[in-house]
Amino acid sequence: MGVKGFAWGVMGLGMVLGLFGWWAWNPVAFVGLALAIVGAVILATRRRGPGTGA
């Protein structure tokens, strides 16, 4: 699993936890939201391929 797969997995887990927390009125919804944001940041800041970035 590469960085892209890991980021999608974190975002998916975040969405599941967010939906569960919202449905159950549970504070885990905030953890889910944070995980989804972390996954999006990882996808946005990953290196695109050889020779790109520093």
Side-chain angles (χ1 to χ4, degrees):
M1 173 188 292
V3 173
K4 189 175 181 180
F6 175 74
W8 280 110
V10 168
M11 284 178 50
L13 179 64
M15 286 188 227
V16 168
L17 288 176
L19 287 174
F20 172 75
W22 178 68
W23 177 74
W25 288 88
N26 193 320
V28 78
F30 294 108
V31 174
L33 178 62
L35 284 176
I37 290 171
V38 166
V41 167
I42 291 171
L43 279 178
T45 60
R46 69 183 177 89
R47 290 176 52 179
R48 303 282 184 221
T52 59

